[in-house]
Amino acid sequence: MSPPTARARLAAVLGDPVVHSLSPLLHNHWFARLGIDGVYLALRVPAEVFDETLRLLPALGFRGFNVTIPHKERAFRAVDRRDRAAEVCGAVNTVRVEADGSLTGLNTDGFGFLAHLRRRVPGWRPEAGPTVVLGAGGAARAVVAALLEAGVGEVRIVNRTRPRAERLIADLAPHFPTARLSAVDWTARGEALTGAALLVQTTSLGMHGMPSLELPLDSLPRRAVVAEVVYVPSETDLLRRARKRGHPVVDGLGMLIWQAVPGFRHWGGVEPPVDGTVEALLLEGLRATPPAK
Ligand SMILES: NC(=O)c1ccc[n+]([C@@H]2O[C@H](COP(=O)([O-])OP(=O)(O)OC[C@H]3O[C@@H](n4cnc5c(N)ncnc54)[C@H](OP(=O)(O)O)[C@@H]3O)[C@@H](O)[C@H]2O)c1
């Protein structure tokens, strides 16, 4: 592949800090592999200049952005329009620069979670039974919204800070009036698994540098799918225990890869490949630069 030219398609991730981002590795791999003349940068953007940066870069020819910590809510406010997932989550992680220079904000985390779940466990069905989600942060919001959009009828949200789970439910319920959403005390997380068809772990527990998740799986039906959003390590203790019990398991790395697909479709102009090569590339990138917690 020849080096980028003066006509290169431009895209970037905006964050602060941004040095741990895997996005440049991923998007530049796709550009090179698909023979597209393109460049993807990591730009550290302090909060004070975020809004003006978001307007300036399109004027310089950028086709779009990913947005990471701490700017996802700021991006939500700054764009001209948002897709339904962004509206429901109150956060934007991908910005498309449209032909007229206006900005469309997307939230692709839920799409990424669901795409990877469906790829890993093709037999999974939204109507299979209740879902238990551990956590009520940004990742939980995106995952719960995507599951409800897909047709899951009941979600139990278990969070250490119960009012945060209640807030999540209050925010999402108007968008999904027929869904059954309940908050569960953190101390009751083991019992909450009774009868569940899917368990999704969205807290930062079990991540490199964080305490491990203490969760007995005895009440979880053997056919239940167990999914993680944590991707360092690529197999968390929860996934290892679930795999040993015979559950179908879904790792967090695939979600990270799939959430990047809608952005690349826009700035690359084609569907990027998601396969073992991409996964190996990111695992290598994580070994070289583990994320800060
Ligand atoms: N795979 C992917 O593409 C992807 C995408 C997004 C995020 N993630 C990962 O998902 C994890 C959460 O991210 P986030 O953006 O949702 O973070 P967040 O908004 O800060 O939420 C963190 C969640 O973890 C819980 N938590 C933290 N420490 C805890 C502890 N000691 N005991 C019990 N619960 C604890 C929090 O509970 P409280 O409300 O009680 O504080 C909250 O529910 C991170 O590891 C992140 O890397 C992965």
CSV table of all heavy atoms in Angstrom, one decimal, residues 109 135-140 159-161 164 186 202-205 207 210-211 229-231 252-253 255-256 259, ligand 1:
chain,number,residue,atom,x,y,z
A,109,ASP,N,-21.9,2.1,20.3
A,109,ASP,CA,-21.5,1.0,21.3
A,109,ASP,C,-22.5,-0.1,21.4
A,109,ASP,O,-22.2,-1.3,21.4
A,109,ASP,CB,-21.3,1.6,22.7
A,109,ASP,CG,-20.0,2.3,22.9
A,109,ASP,OD1,-19.0,2.0,22.1
A,109,ASP,OD2,-19.8,3.1,23.8
A,135,GLY,N,-24.0,-3.3,36.2
A,135,GLY,CA,-23.5,-2.0,35.9
A,135,GLY,C,-24.6,-1.0,35.4
A,135,GLY,O,-25.6,-1.5,34.8
A,136,ALA,N,-24.3,0.3,35.5
A,136,ALA,CA,-25.3,1.3,35.1
A,136,ALA,C,-24.6,2.5,34.5
A,136,ALA,O,-25.1,3.6,34.5
A,136,ALA,CB,-26.2,1.6,36.2
A,137,GLY,N,-23.4,2.3,34.0
A,137,GLY,CA,-22.6,3.4,33.5
A,137,GLY,C,-22.9,3.6,32.0
A,137,GLY,O,-23.9,3.2,31.5
A,138,GLY,N,-21.9,4.3,31.3
A,138,GLY,CA,-22.1,4.5,29.9
A,138,GLY,C,-22.3,3.3,29.0
A,138,GLY,O,-23.1,3.2,28.1
A,139,ALA,N,-21.4,2.3,29.3
A,139,ALA,CA,-21.5,1.1,28.5
A,139,ALA,C,-22.8,0.4,28.8
A,139,ALA,O,-23.5,-0.1,27.8
A,139,ALA,CB,-20.3,0.1,28.9
A,140,ALA,N,-23.3,0.3,30.0
A,140,ALA,CA,-24.6,-0.3,30.3
A,140,ALA,C,-25.7,0.4,29.6
A,140,ALA,O,-26.6,-0.3,29.0
A,140,ALA,CB,-24.8,-0.2,31.8
A,159,ASN,N,-26.6,-2.7,40.0
A,159,ASN,CA,-25.5,-1.8,40.1
A,159,ASN,C,-25.2,-1.5,41.6
A,159,ASN,O,-26.0,-1.5,42.4
A,159,ASN,CB,-25.9,-0.4,39.4
A,159,ASN,CG,-24.6,0.4,39.2
A,159,ASN,OD1,-23.6,-0.1,38.6
A,159,ASN,ND2,-24.6,1.7,39.5
A,160,ARG,N,-23.9,-1.3,41.8
A,160,ARG,CA,-23.4,-1.0,43.2
A,160,ARG,C,-24.1,0.2,43.7
A,160,ARG,O,-24.6,0.2,44.9
A,160,ARG,CB,-21.9,-0.8,43.1
A,160,ARG,CG,-21.3,-0.3,44.5
A,160,ARG,CD,-19.8,-0.1,44.3
A,160,ARG,NE,-19.5,1.0,43.4
A,160,ARG,CZ,-18.3,1.5,43.1
A,160,ARG,NH1,-17.3,1.0,43.8
A,160,ARG,NH2,-18.1,2.5,42.3
A,161,THR,N,-24.3,1.2,42.9
A,161,THR,CA,-25.0,2.4,43.4
A,161,THR,C,-26.4,2.4,42.8
A,161,THR,O,-26.6,2.7,41.6
A,161,THR,CB,-24.3,3.7,42.8
A,161,THR,OG1,-22.9,3.6,43.2
A,161,THR,CG2,-24.8,5.0,43.4
A,164,ARG,N,-28.2,5.0,40.6
A,164,ARG,CA,-27.7,5.2,39.2
A,164,ARG,C,-28.5,4.2,38.2
A,164,ARG,O,-28.8,4.6,37.1
A,164,ARG,CB,-26.2,4.9,39.1
A,164,ARG,CG,-25.6,5.5,37.9
A,164,ARG,CD,-24.1,5.4,38.0
A,164,ARG,NE,-23.4,5.9,36.8
A,164,ARG,CZ,-22.1,5.7,36.5
A,164,ARG,NH1,-21.4,4.9,37.3
A,164,ARG,NH2,-21.6,6.2,35.5
A,186,TRP,N,-27.0,-4.5,44.5
A,186,TRP,CA,-25.8,-5.2,44.2
A,186,TRP,C,-25.6,-6.5,45.1
A,186,TRP,O,-25.1,-7.5,44.6
A,186,TRP,CB,-24.6,-4.2,44.5
A,186,TRP,CG,-23.3,-4.7,44.1
A,186,TRP,CD1,-22.2,-4.9,44.9
A,186,TRP,CD2,-22.8,-4.9,42.7
A,186,TRP,NE1,-21.1,-5.3,44.2
A,186,TRP,CE2,-21.5,-5.3,42.8
A,186,TRP,CE3,-23.4,-4.9,41.5
A,186,TRP,CZ2,-20.7,-5.7,41.7
A,186,TRP,CZ3,-22.6,-5.3,40.4
A,186,TRP,CH2,-21.3,-5.6,40.5
A,202,THR,N,-21.1,-5.2,32.5
A,202,THR,CA,-20.6,-3.9,32.0
A,202,THR,C,-19.9,-3.0,33.0
A,202,THR,O,-19.6,-1.9,32.7
A,202,THR,CB,-21.8,-3.0,31.4
A,202,THR,OG1,-22.5,-2.5,32.5
A,202,THR,CG2,-22.7,-3.9,30.5
A,203,THR,N,-19.6,-3.5,34.2
A,203,THR,CA,-18.9,-2.7,35.2
A,203,THR,C,-17.4,-2.8,34.8
A,203,THR,O,-17.0,-3.6,33.9
A,203,THR,CB,-19.0,-3.2,36.6
A,203,THR,OG1,-18.2,-4.4,36.8
A,203,THR,CG2,-20.5,-3.5,37.0
A,204,SER,N,-16.6,-2.0,35.4
A,204,SER,CA,-15.1,-2.1,35.1
A,204,SER,C,-14.4,-3.1,36.0
A,204,SER,O,-13.2,-3.3,35.9
A,204,SER,CB,-14.5,-0.7,35.3
A,204,SER,OG,-15.1,0.1,36.3
A,205,LEU,N,-15.2,-3.8,36.8
A,205,LEU,CA,-14.6,-4.9,37.6
A,205,LEU,C,-14.1,-6.0,36.7
A,205,LEU,O,-14.7,-6.4,35.7
A,205,LEU,CB,-15.7,-5.5,38.6
A,205,LEU,CG,-16.1,-4.6,39.7
A,205,LEU,CD1,-17.2,-5.2,40.5
A,205,LEU,CD2,-14.9,-4.2,40.6
A,207,MET,N,-11.4,-5.8,35.0
A,207,MET,CA,-10.5,-5.2,34.1
A,207,MET,C,-9.1,-5.1,34.7
A,207,MET,O,-9.0,-5.0,35.9
A,207,MET,CB,-11.0,-3.8,33.8
A,207,MET,CG,-10.2,-3.0,32.8
A,207,MET,SD,-11.1,-1.3,32.7
A,207,MET,CE,-9.7,-0.3,32.1
A,210,MET,N,-8.1,-3.5,38.1
A,210,MET,CA,-9.4,-3.3,38.9
A,210,MET,C,-9.6,-4.6,39.8
A,210,MET,O,-9.1,-5.6,39.4
A,210,MET,CB,-10.6,-3.1,38.1
A,210,MET,CG,-10.6,-1.7,37.4
A,210,MET,SD,-11.0,-0.4,38.5
A,210,MET,CE,-12.7,-0.7,38.9
A,211,PRO,N,-10.3,-4.4,40.9
A,211,PRO,CA,-10.7,-5.7,41.6
A,211,PRO,C,-11.4,-6.6,40.7
A,211,PRO,O,-12.0,-6.2,39.7
A,211,PRO,CB,-11.5,-5.2,42.8
A,211,PRO,CG,-11.4,-3.7,42.8
A,211,PRO,CD,-10.9,-3.2,41.4
A,229,VAL,N,-18.1,-6.6,28.5
A,229,VAL,CA,-17.7,-5.5,27.8
A,229,VAL,C,-16.2,-5.2,28.0
A,229,VAL,O,-15.5,-4.6,27.2
A,229,VAL,CB,-18.5,-4.2,27.9
A,229,VAL,CG1,-20.0,-4.5,27.7
A,229,VAL,CG2,-18.3,-3.6,29.3
A,230,VAL,N,-15.7,-5.7,29.2
A,230,VAL,CA,-14.3,-5.5,29.5
A,230,VAL,C,-13.4,-6.3,28.5
A,230,VAL,O,-13.8,-7.4,28.2
A,230,VAL,CB,-14.0,-6.0,31.0
A,230,VAL,CG1,-12.5,-6.1,31.2
A,230,VAL,CG2,-14.6,-5.0,32.0
A,231,TYR,N,-12.4,-5.7,28.0
A,231,TYR,CA,-11.6,-6.4,26.9
A,231,TYR,C,-10.1,-6.5,27.3
A,231,TYR,O,-9.3,-7.0,26.5
A,231,TYR,CB,-11.7,-5.7,25.6
A,231,TYR,CG,-11.4,-4.2,25.6
A,231,TYR,CD1,-10.2,-3.7,25.4
A,231,TYR,CD2,-12.5,-3.3,25.8
A,231,TYR,CE1,-9.9,-2.4,25.4
A,231,TYR,CE2,-12.2,-1.9,25.8
A,231,TYR,CZ,-10.9,-1.5,25.6
A,231,TYR,OH,-10.7,-0.1,25.6
A,252,GLY,N,-15.3,-8.9,25.2
A,252,GLY,CA,-15.5,-7.4,25.0
A,252,GLY,C,-14.8,-6.9,23.8
A,252,GLY,O,-15.1,-5.8,23.3
A,253,LEU,N,-13.7,-7.6,23.3
A,253,LEU,CA,-12.9,-7.0,22.2
A,253,LEU,C,-13.7,-6.9,20.9
A,253,LEU,O,-13.6,-5.9,20.2
A,253,LEU,CB,-11.7,-7.9,22.0
A,253,LEU,CG,-10.6,-7.3,21.1
A,253,LEU,CD1,-10.0,-6.1,21.7
A,253,LEU,CD2,-9.5,-8.4,20.8
A,255,MET,N,-16.8,-6.3,20.6
A,255,MET,CA,-17.7,-5.1,20.7
A,255,MET,C,-16.9,-3.8,20.3
A,255,MET,O,-17.3,-3.0,19.6
A,255,MET,CB,-18.2,-4.9,22.1
A,255,MET,CG,-18.9,-3.6,22.4
A,255,MET,SD,-19.5,-3.6,24.1
A,255,MET,CE,-20.1,-1.9,24.3
A,256,LEU,N,-15.6,-3.8,20.8
A,256,LEU,CA,-14.8,-2.7,20.5
A,256,LEU,C,-14.5,-2.5,19.0
A,256,LEU,O,-14.5,-1.4,18.4
A,256,LEU,CB,-13.4,-2.8,21.3
A,256,LEU,CG,-12.4,-1.7,21.1
A,256,LEU,CD1,-12.9,-0.6,22.0
A,256,LEU,CD2,-11.1,-2.2,21.6
A,259,GLN,N,-18.0,-1.6,17.1
A,259,GLN,CA,-18.5,-0.2,17.3
A,259,GLN,C,-17.8,0.7,16.4
A,259,GLN,O,-18.3,1.8,16.1
A,259,GLN,CB,-18.4,0.2,18.8
A,259,GLN,CG,-17.0,0.3,19.4
A,259,GLN,CD,-16.2,1.5,19.0
A,259,GLN,OE1,-16.8,2.6,18.7
A,259,GLN,NE2,-14.9,1.4,18.9
B,1,LIG,N1,-15.8,-3.3,24.7
B,1,LIG,C1,-16.1,-2.1,24.4
B,1,LIG,O1,-16.2,-1.6,23.3
B,1,LIG,C2,-16.4,-1.1,25.6
B,1,LIG,C3,-17.1,0.0,25.4
B,1,LIG,C4,-17.3,0.9,26.5
B,1,LIG,C5,-16.8,0.6,27.7
B,1,LIG,N2,-16.1,-0.6,27.9
B,1,LIG,C6,-15.6,-1.0,29.2
B,1,LIG,O2,-16.7,-1.1,30.1
B,1,LIG,C7,-16.3,-0.8,31.4
B,1,LIG,C8,-17.3,0.3,32.0
B,1,LIG,O3,-17.2,1.5,31.2
B,1,LIG,P1,-18.2,2.7,31.3
B,1,LIG,O4,-17.9,3.7,30.3
B,1,LIG,O5,-19.6,2.2,31.5
B,1,LIG,O6,-17.7,3.3,32.7
B,1,LIG,P2,-18.6,4.1,33.8
B,1,LIG,O7,-19.7,4.9,33.1
B,1,LIG,O8,-17.6,4.8,34.6
B,1,LIG,O9,-19.4,3.0,34.7
B,1,LIG,C9,-18.6,2.1,35.5
B,1,LIG,C10,-19.5,1.0,36.1
B,1,LIG,O10,-18.7,0.1,36.8
B,1,LIG,C11,-19.2,0.1,38.2
B,1,LIG,N3,-18.1,-0.1,39.1
B,1,LIG,C12,-16.9,0.5,39.1
B,1,LIG,N4,-16.2,0.1,40.2
B,1,LIG,C13,-16.9,-0.8,40.9
B,1,LIG,C14,-16.7,-1.6,42.0
B,1,LIG,N5,-15.6,-1.5,42.7
B,1,LIG,N6,-17.7,-2.4,42.4
B,1,LIG,C15,-18.9,-2.5,41.7
B,1,LIG,N7,-19.2,-1.8,40.6
B,1,LIG,C16,-18.2,-0.9,40.2
B,1,LIG,C17,-19.9,1.4,38.4
B,1,LIG,O11,-20.8,1.3,39.5
B,1,LIG,P3,-21.3,2.6,40.3
B,1,LIG,O12,-22.4,3.3,39.5
B,1,LIG,O13,-21.7,2.1,41.6
B,1,LIG,O14,-20.0,3.5,40.4
B,1,LIG,C18,-20.6,1.6,37.0
B,1,LIG,O15,-21.7,0.8,36.9
B,1,LIG,C19,-14.9,-0.3,31.3
B,1,LIG,O16,-14.0,-1.4,31.7
B,1,LIG,C20,-14.7,0.0,29.8
B,1,LIG,O17,-13.3,-0.2,29.4
B,1,LIG,C21,-15.9,-1.4,26.8
